[in-house]
Amino acid sequence: MGKFIEMSDALMDYIGKIGVREHAVQARCRAETAAMGRISGMQISPDEGAFLAMLVRLTGTRRYLEIGTFTGYSALSVALALPTDGRIDALDVSDDYVGRARTYWAEAGVADRITTHIAPALETLDGFLKAGRAGTYDFAFIDADKTNYAAYVERCHRLVRKGGLIAIDNTLWSGAVIDPANTSDDTRAIRALNDALANDPRFDIALVAISDGITLLHVR
Ligand code: CA
């Protein structure tokens, strides 16, 4: 164990109580998503939501790009931290999940800050580039299909301004990245991306062990 803490459910509960200030609608989104069963694992954890919100505040983010919205907890966390003129583009392939997300955003009074794009994300991102949005985003969060992660990073590198931030979720993939016996498509995609980013001169990097691992890239 060395100098590191092994995260337990009890410690996570403790963090949730004293280290996260959850809006009532965030709490309800989380509870109702948990009731959906196994799929709820696609939702970010409360401390990750607080962390993203903190990054948004620290970077003065006004234009935020989210790839993978699910039932809306992550976008809600960020929307609540944005200035009133802040805007989120939220990308997902599921109208069902995003339909649920919209109800939470409306109840929290932030629906006007979030524009949804229901389509394969690469199509939407390429559309943004064609529409002249290169360099216009302050912050992009990637949390969608893992086999497209590398392609999303390339699009985000063009869409996020110099000095902006790209955050990539699940880059430790439950530890599978260091298990050579795990050769699933998702694991290989994340492992290859991690290897490539380790020495990518276009970014400064910090892979932080929050939740399932979040890689932060500062666009040089
Ligand atoms: Ca995730």
Side-chain angles (χ1 to χ4, degrees):
M1 197 158 132
K3 59 187 172 181
F4 305 110
I5 288 178
E6 193 141 357
M7 196 49 66
S8 62
D9 288 347
L11 266 180
M12 279 307 300
D13 287 347
Y14 178 77
I15 291 170
K17 277 194 197 101
I18 60 102
V20 177
R21 294 176 192 163
E22 222 177 22
H23 189 286
V25 179
Q26 281 178 292
R28 206 160 56 70
C29 171
R30 203 152 56 77
E32 292 177 1
T33 303
M36 292 165 67
R38 263 182 72 86
I39 191 76
S40 65
M42 281 172 41
Q43 184 170 61
I44 64 165
S45 58
D47 57 318
E48 184 169 0
F51 181 64
L52 292 173
M54 182 65 78
L55 290 176
V56 162
R57 289 193 169 95
L58 289 172
T59 55
T61 288
R62 289 179 58 256
R63 299 281 289 128
Y64 184 90
L65 175 61
E66 177 176 86
I67 304 172
T69 292
F70 191 42
T71 53
Y73 186 92
S74 48
L76 177 56
S77 303
V78 165
L80 290 166
L82 282 174
T84 50
D85 65 343
R87 292 292 178 267
I88 295 174
D89 283 297
L91 282 53
D92 205 284
V93 286
S94 170
D95 216 4
D96 176 33
Y97 294 149
V98 173
R100 292 166 185 256
R102 286 192 193 101
T103 64
Y104 300 119
W105 301 336
E107 283 172 40
V110 296
D112 60 334
R113 297 177 191 178
I114 305 171
T115 305
T116 56
H117 306 266
I118 309 299
L122 286 178
E123 288 175 17
T124 302
L125 296 170
D126 286 340
F128 287 172
L129 285 165
K130 265 191 200 143
R133 292 197 192 180
T136 62
Y137 290 89
D138 302 301
F139 190 159
F141 179 52
I142 301 172
D143 187 14
D145 49 318
K146 311 312 173 199
T147 50
N148 272 321
Y149 261 25
Y152 295 148
V153 169
E154 290 310 305
R155 267 55 168 203
C156 287
H157 176 252
R158 295 173 63 191
L159 287 163
V160 173
R161 66 173 171 81
K162 276 196 196 327
L165 186 62
I166 301 169
I168 312 168
D169 199 35
N170 302 104
T171 49
L172 293 179
W173 205 226
S174 303
V177 285
I178 57 164
D179 176 5
N182 190 320
T183 57
S184 77
D185 288 349
D186 288 344
T187 301
R188 285 190 294 122
I190 292 173
R191 194 183 284 140
L193 176 65
N194 287 348
D195 287 347
L197 290 176
N199 294 300
D200 191 326
R202 299 174 298 171
F203 308 108
D204 300 296
I205 186 169
L207 199 177
V208 294
I210 297 171
S211 204
D212 192 28
I214 309 169
T215 295
L216 302 177
L217 301 174
H218 173 254
V219 181
R220 288 177 169 168

